Amino acid sequence: MVYRTKSVLETEDAGYQFAAGLHAGDVVALTGGLGAGKTAFVRGIARRLCPEAEVSSPTFTIAHEYEGEIPVFHFDMYRISSFDDLYNIAFFDYLDRGGVSVIEWSENIEDALPEGTIRVDITVDGDGRRITVGERQ
């Protein structure tokens, strides 16, 4: 599936639409360069699953948790470089909690992603964004 967006609001809406197919326990691995729209896409996911959430980039806190019928665990792995780092932030514990885990900069923890992870790549495409949802792996 591919979404094409031309604004931050359209990118959020794509995340909202995508979230309709998510279930407790799903892991979503986001890739895309700086400013590609990863956090905007997560805002859309959270708007559907945790309507009261105020989503911001977890760059300096590494993880944010949003409460809803299905909780959303939002990670930024930009500064993560080892399994020790993942254990220190309780990453694997979050995966066992039954929420939807959405991971920005997932390429930094490729070897730690569980089977069944949903891949989403966001790229700048002309004056907009191309959001490509891959198969579960």
Side-chain angles (χ1 to χ4, degrees):
M1 171 173 284
V2 175
Y3 300 93
R4 293 188 182 278
T5 66
K6 296 218 181 248
S7 70
V8 171
L9 288 176
E10 286 182 7
T11 300
E12 288 178 20
D13 285 343
Y16 184 86
Q17 292 170 32
F18 167 75
L22 294 176
H23 307 305
D26 282 344
V27 176
V28 180
L30 299 176
T31 56
L34 284 170
K38 295 179 297 292
T39 301
F41 191 76
V42 176
R43 274 196 301 272
I45 292 170
R47 192 174 80 217
R48 180 176 287 275
L49 301 178
C50 308
E52 303 299 316
E54 302 241 352
V55 174
S56 62
S57 177
T59 299
F60 296 104
T61 56
I62 302 176
H64 285 167
E65 184 173 336
Y66 307 115
E67 292 299 323
E69 187 172 322
I70 301 173
V72 172
F73 310 128
H74 179 198
F75 299 93
D76 185 318
M77 299 301 184
Y78 187 75
R79 291 177 172 77
I80 298 298
S81 61
S82 70
F83 270 83
D84 284 343
D85 291 342
L86 292 174
Y87 285 111
N88 287 335
I89 64 165
F91 175 71
F92 300 104
D93 294 332
Y94 277 103
L95 296 182
D96 291 336
R97 291 180 51 198
V100 170
S101 297
V102 185
I103 306 160
E104 295 189 36
W105 299 100
S106 63
E107 60 271 30
N108 290 350
I109 63 159
E110 185 66 37
D111 294 338
L113 295 173
E115 189 174 316
T117 295
I118 303 164
R119 312 291 180 148
V120 178
D121 183 58
I122 304 175
T123 56
V124 176
D125 186 17
D127 62 346
R129 302 292 184 268
R130 178 184 171 97
I131 302 163
T132 305
V133 178
E135 298 295 318
R136 291 180 186 263
Q137 297 181 355

